[in-house]
Amino acid sequence: MSKLSEKSLKTLEYYTILHELSELCVSRKAKEQARDLRPMHDVEDVRLALKQTDDAKHMMTTSGTPAFGGIREVNASLSRADRGGVLSTRELLDVASLLHAAMQVSKYGKEQLEKDEPTTLDEDFAHIHTNRYLEQKINRAIISEEEIADVASSELANIRRQMRQQNARVRETLNHIVSSPSYSKFLQESLITQRDGRFVIPIKSEHRGDMPGMVHDVSSSGATLFIEPAQVVDANNQIKVLQGKEKAEIERILAELSAEVADNADGIQSDYAVLCKLDFIFAKARLSFRHNGCAPEINEENCVSLLRARHPLLDPKKAVPIDIALGDQYDTLVITGPNTGGKTVSLKTLGLLCLMTSAGLHIPANEQSSVCLFENIYADIGDEQSIEQSLSTFSAHMKNIVSILQKCRQGDLILFDELGAGTDPVEGAALAVSIIEFGRQMCALVAATTHYSELKVFALTTEGVENASCEFDVKTLQPTYRLLTGVPGKSNAFAISRRLGLPPAIIERAKEQISAENARFEDVIERLETERHKLEKEREDANRLRRTAQSEKDKAVQLKGRTEDETDAILERARRQAEQIIRDARMTSDTVMAQLDEIKKKSAVNPAEQNLAAARAALRGTLSAAEKKALKREKKTVEQDANRPLQVGDAVLLVNIGVKGTVLKTENKDGNVFVQAGIMKMNIPANELKLIEQPQKKKQTKVQRMSSGVREVRRSMAKSELDLRGMMVEEALLELDRYISDCLMARLDVATIIHGKGTGALRAAVQEHLRHDKHIRSIRNGRYGEGDLGVTIVEFK
C-alpha cells in the first residue's frame, strides 16, 4: 500500500477502528492480526469475512463467547522442543493451557453444530486437534512454575519420601540437642535453621570448641556461629545426595514431557493458528455488537448507497444517521452547508465505512446498504480534523491534492474537504471546479465539501454531479446534521449574525455587497428550502394517513376472516342437522311403506272395517309426527341455576345451535336474553342458554414473559470472568451476587472470579460467600495459567 493510501487511512481514522478491534482480541497473535488488517480487493474474500462475522454474532447470541483466555504463544517453545531441547515448567504449562483452550473451543463448536445450521466457521472448529492426554499429563506433573508434583513419577515420589524421612531424623537429633540442658548454655538461640541447604544450630562463638561439627556461617557481628553438629553430618550428606537425585529426576520428567510436546508439535501449532483466527473473528463480532453494525451488500457496480449510516467513533445515542449515495445516478457529490453542520463528518463517514467494509468489518448502517470495493480511497481532510474530539478545521493541502490527482484512476474514491479554500474565493472556486472535472475524467468517484456558490451552480448545471447539503435550523442556530441530497445548502451567515445581535444596518449593507446574480441564486435556494419543508410535511401527513388506512384495512381483513370462519361453522352445523333430518325422514318413510304393505295384506285377507280404520289412524299419526319433526326440530332446554342468574358479560352456549356467545342484556319480561354470537345479535330464551364457567387464567408474570428473551441476550452478553480487584469486601460481594445472577440466567457452567493475591482477605471473603450459595456445585483455586491463587474457579449446578 502506498504512503498516500496509508495517509488517507490515518486521515479517515481507520487505524482508530483497528486499535479498538485489537483491544477486543484475547491472544497476542489475534491482536497483531487486527492491527495489520487492511482493505481487501477480492469480492469473495470480503463476503466470506462478513459472513464469518455474521455467524460469530449468531453464535454469541445463542451460546455466549468461546473461552479464548487460555491461548498462549508457544511457537518458540515448540521449535526448541523439536530440536531436542528441554522446556521449562512455565513453557510446558503454557502448552497445557493452550491445549485446554483448544478443548473448550472445540466443544463449543460441536455444540453449535448440533443445534444450528452449518456455518462458515464449522471447518475452523473441525480443524482443532484436541490432546486431552498430554494436557492432563502436564497438569498432573507440574503444580506451578516452581513446583513438580510427587505423582509426576514413582521414582520422584520415592526420592521425596526418603528426603522427608532424613529431614525428620535430622530434626529429631537437632531438637534433642537444643532441648538438652547440657547444651543450652552453648546455644545463642534454641532454634534449627539451614545454611547452604544443610541443617544447623546457632552456637555462641566462645563455645566453638564445645560443639563438634562443621561451621557453615557466621553472623555479621561474629557472636554467632552456625554449626552443623557432627551427629547429623551423615544425615545431611544423605539429604544432599537425595536432592541431587531429585533434580536429576525432575530434569528427566521435563525432558520426557518436552519430547511428547515435540511429537505433537504440528497439532499444537495448528491449534494455536486456528484459535487465534477464531479469536480474531469473534473480536470482529464483538466490535459489531458495540457499533450495532451489520454486513452491507457487496456490489460490483462501482457505486455506494449507505442508509442510516453513523460514524462509528461518534456516540451512537447522539449521532444522527445519514443517507448518502454515490456512483449510481451521479459520480460526484458536492456537499454544502454552514460550519459545524456535519459536512466533514458526512465525508469521513462515507470513506471510513467503505474502508471497514473492504476489510470485512460490519458497519453501523442499515442492512440494506450497498457498498462496492474501491481500488484506493484518497482523502484530503485537514490534519487536525478529529471526530473523537469534535473538532473541525478547513484547510486545503494543494501538495496532497497534486499527489492524489497523479495517482487516481478508475475504481478510486476521492474525498475533498473544503476544496479550494484558503485562497482568493474566485480563483479557489475555479480551481475546485477544475480539480473535480479532472477526477471525473479519470473515472473516479468524487465527494467534496465547499462553501462556494460557484460549485453549487456547477452541480446544478453539470450532468452526473449532484448537490447535497447539511441541514441547519436558523431558529435555534443549531445544525440538525441531516444530509439532504439534491438540495444545495446555504451558509446562513446573515441569519446567524442577525440572531446573534449584529445590527440590521450592517447586515443590509453586507447584502448590498453581494452581486445580483449571487443574490438571486441564494433566493432560489431559500425558496427551494421552503418548498422542501412544505413537501416533507405533506409527505409525513400522507405517510401517517397511509399507516392509519393500512391499520384499518388490516382490522377489516381480520374481522372478515373471523366472520367467514363463524359463518362456515354455522353452515356446517346446519348441514349436519339437515342430513340428520333427511336420515330421519327416510327411516320414517320406510316405516310408513312397510306399514302400508301390511295394511294391504290384512285388508285382502279380512276386510274388517274397524281394524282397517284403526290402522289408517295409526299411519296418519306416524306421518304427522314425522312431518312435525322434519319441519321443526324439538328444542333443547336447560335448567337455569337459581343461585346464579345470567349477567351482562357472561359467556354462554346456545344449546340448540351449538354456538358460544356473550350476554349483552339480562332476561326481560318475556324470558328472553339479548346475546351476541360472533357478529350476530339476537334474543334467545333463557332456558336455551347454558352458562360457561370461565377458568381463571393464570397470569403470566413479567419475569416469565421476558425470561426467554432475556436469557438469550444475557447469554451473549454474560462474561465468563468477573474482576473484583481494587474493591472493598462489601462492594465486591454485592458485585459478586449480581454476577452470579447473570451467570444463572445465562446458564453458564463455569465462571472465573478474579480477586488478586494481595493479603488474601478478599479471596477468603469471596470463597466463604460462594460456599453458602446453593446454586454453586464447587469452587477451587486457579491453576497455573488460570491465575493461580489470584482467581477462584466456580462451577454452577
Side-chain angles (χ1 to χ4, degrees), residues 603-618:
S603 62
V605 175
N606 185 16
E609 186 64 27
Q610 184 176 0
N611 293 338
L612 182 58
R616 286 175 178 172

Side-chain angles (χ1 to χ4, degrees), residues 437-601:
E437 287 182 337
F438 182 84
R440 298 186 66 206
Q441 290 173 5
M442 301 304 294
C443 298
L445 300 185
V446 181
T449 66
T450 184
H451 284 286
Y452 293 141
S453 297
E454 289 84 351
L455 265 68
K456 304 175 189 177
V457 175
F458 170 72
L460 287 172
T461 58
T462 306
E463 185 178 359
V465 182
E466 185 61 270
N467 268 307
S469 61
C470 292
E471 190 178 47
F472 191 87
D473 191 340
V474 180
K475 294 181 180 179
T476 62
L477 296 181
Q478 294 292 327
T480 65
Y481 301 107
R482 292 178 57 200
L483 183 66
L484 309 173
T485 302
V487 180
K490 294 182 60 179
S491 62
N492 295 298
F494 293 156
I496 294 174
S497 300
R498 182 181 292 109
R499 294 277 297 180
L500 293 176
L502 191 67
I506 296 178
I507 295 175
E508 293 301 323
R509 178 59 181 166
K511 289 182 177 179
E512 293 175 359
Q513 305 301 316
I514 300 177
S515 65
E517 182 179 351
N518 284 338
R520 285 195 299 274
F521 182 74
E522 292 295 326
D523 289 340
V524 170
I525 293 178
E526 187 172 354
R527 287 197 296 272
L528 286 174
E529 184 70 8
T530 303
E531 193 66 24
R532 183 186 64 79
H533 282 292
K534 181 180 178 181
L535 290 174
E536 280 192 353
K537 187 177 183 304
E538 292 177 353
R539 184 176 64 182
E540 290 177 0
D541 293 340
N543 288 336
R544 185 171 60 255
L545 291 174
R546 181 183 60 79
R547 289 193 296 269
T548 303
Q550 184 64 38
S551 177
E552 294 298 328
K553 178 183 176 182
D554 293 341
K555 291 179 181 178
V557 170
Q558 293 176 0
L559 179 59
K560 179 183 178 183
R562 288 197 301 268
T563 303
E564 290 177 349
D565 292 342
E566 292 173 358
T567 303
D568 291 342
I570 293 173
L571 290 175
E572 178 63 21
R573 285 192 294 272
R575 184 186 63 80
R576 289 196 298 268
Q577 291 176 359
E579 290 177 350
Q580 183 63 39
I581 292 172
I582 292 173
R583 285 194 297 270
D584 293 345
R586 286 176 178 172
M587 292 176 62
T588 303
S589 65
D590 291 341
T591 303
V592 169
M593 294 303 296
Q595 291 178 354
L596 284 173
D597 292 339
E598 186 66 26
I599 290 172
K600 288 180 181 180
K601 293 177 181 178

Side-chain angles (χ1 to χ4, degrees), residues 548-755:
T548 303
Q550 184 64 38
S551 177
E552 294 298 328
K553 178 183 176 182
D554 293 341
K555 291 179 181 178
V557 170
Q558 293 176 0
L559 179 59
K560 179 183 178 183
R562 288 197 301 268
T563 303
E564 290 177 349
D565 292 342
E566 292 173 358
T567 303
D568 291 342
I570 293 173
L571 290 175
E572 178 63 21
R573 285 192 294 272
R575 184 186 63 80
R576 289 196 298 268
Q577 291 176 359
E579 290 177 350
Q580 183 63 39
I581 292 172
I582 292 173
R583 285 194 297 270
D584 293 345
R586 286 176 178 172
M587 292 176 62
T588 303
S589 65
D590 291 341
T591 303
V592 169
M593 294 303 296
Q595 291 178 354
L596 284 173
D597 292 339
E598 186 66 26
I599 290 172
K600 288 180 181 180
K601 293 177 181 178
K602 288 182 179 180
S603 62
V605 175
N606 185 16
E609 186 64 27
Q610 184 176 0
N611 293 338
L612 182 58
R616 286 175 178 172
L619 179 58
R620 281 195 298 270
T622 301
L623 290 173
S624 177
E627 180 181 4
K628 290 181 179 180
K629 184 177 181 181
L631 293 176
K632 187 175 182 180
R633 304 281 293 178
E634 181 180 357
K635 292 187 176 181
K636 301 177 182 178
T637 60
V638 293
E639 184 176 352
Q640 298 296 319
D641 186 356
N643 297 324
R644 176 63 170 86
L646 295 177
Q647 300 175 1
V648 175
D650 282 346
V652 294
L653 175 66
L654 284 66
V655 294
N656 284 303
I657 58 177
V659 175
K660 294 181 181 179
T662 304
V663 176
L664 299 181
K665 294 182 180 179
T666 57
E667 184 177 353
N668 58 21
K669 61 181 181 179
D670 297 327
N672 292 328
V673 179
F674 194 52
V675 178
Q676 179 173 357
I679 63 171
M680 296 182 293
K681 299 177 181 179
M682 64 198 84
N683 283 310
I684 302 294
N687 59 0
E688 296 181 18
L689 299 176
K690 181 179 180 181
L691 179 65
I692 301 175
E693 294 295 334
Q694 295 285 350
Q696 292 186 351
K697 295 184 178 179
K698 185 178 180 181
K699 291 187 178 180
Q700 191 179 29
T701 65
K702 183 176 180 182
V703 174
Q704 290 172 332
R705 292 195 301 272
M706 297 176 63
S707 62
S708 60
V710 170
R711 188 179 302 117
E712 292 302 322
V713 174
R714 284 181 178 268
R715 192 168 183 85
S716 65
M717 300 303 294
K719 300 179 180 178
S720 59
E721 295 180 348
L722 173 64
D723 194 345
L724 301 177
R725 290 175 294 184
M727 297 184 184
M728 301 298 290
V729 171
E730 293 80 7
E731 179 187 5
L733 294 181
L734 288 174
E735 188 66 21
L736 180 61
D737 285 338
R738 284 195 293 268
Y739 177 70
I740 291 175
S741 298
D742 290 344
C743 292
L744 293 173
M745 291 295 294
R747 295 184 178 177
L748 293 183
D749 296 324
V750 179
T752 301
I753 310 301
I754 305 174
H755 40 62

